[in-house]
């Protein structure tokens, strides 16, 4: 069961989670991170590192965010050349966006 990044990450992109991933499963997009389900080893290291609680096991994703399971898979493939395995600065307005909801329309898929 791979882990999945969900809506709270959009427009925040804290990268603490990617820095602790032992298998480089995270992919970086313009304003979101995705986990490659084929690389994820289900170690759970990333979950506690996410300050906005955006990461869930795929069988525990809240129902309103179930579409993020397929979204992570698709974006991980699209962003295959954008492996992230280190901490970077979050987006400038990350703290402002952290508590917002309904952010899927704000997701940027293209670099």
């Amino acid at each position: 069961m791979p882990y999945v990044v969900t809506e709270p990450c959009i427009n925040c992109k804290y990268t603490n989670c990617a820095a602790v991933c032992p298998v480089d499963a995270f992919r970086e997009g313009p304003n979101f991170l995705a986990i490659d389900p084929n690389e994820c080893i289900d170690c759970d290291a990333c979950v506690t590192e996410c300050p906005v609680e955006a990461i869930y096991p795929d069988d525990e994703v809240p129902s309103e965010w179930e579409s993020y399971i397929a979204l992570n898979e698709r974006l991980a493939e699209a962003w295959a050349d954008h492996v992230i395995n280190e901490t970077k600065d979050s987006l400038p307005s990350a703290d402002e966006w952290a508590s917002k909801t309904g952010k899927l329309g704000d997701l940027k898929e293209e670099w």
Side-chain angles (χ1 to χ4, degrees), residues 24-83:
D24 299 341
F26 280 83
R27 304 297 178 259
E28 181 181 17
N31 68 341
F32 184 70
L33 300 175
I35 297 175
D36 185 332
N38 298 313
E39 296 293 327
C40 180
I41 59 169
D42 313 325
C43 71
D44 194 24
C46 59
V47 175
T48 58
E49 294 297 319
C50 180
V52 293
E53 300 178 2
I55 303 172
Y56 296 86
D58 67 355
D59 63 348
E60 294 179 24
V61 172
S63 59
E64 68 266 26
W65 296 331
E66 284 183 351
S67 64
Y68 283 81
I69 298 169
L71 181 65
N72 270 247
E73 186 172 3
R74 184 171 58 76
L75 293 177
E77 184 177 322
W79 298 339
D81 293 337
H82 297 279
V83 172

Side-chain angles (χ1 to χ4, degrees), residues 3 9-10 17 19 25 30-32 35-37 41 45 55 57 60 69-70 83 87 89 97 99 101 103 106-107 111:
Y3 282 77
C9 183
I10 296 172
C17 53
N31 68 341
F32 184 70
I35 297 175
D36 185 332
I41 59 169
I55 303 172
E60 294 179 24
I69 298 169
V83 172
T87 303
D89 290 338
W97 278 91
S99 62
T101 59
K103 300 191 287 185
D106 297 298
L107 177 65
W111 277 100

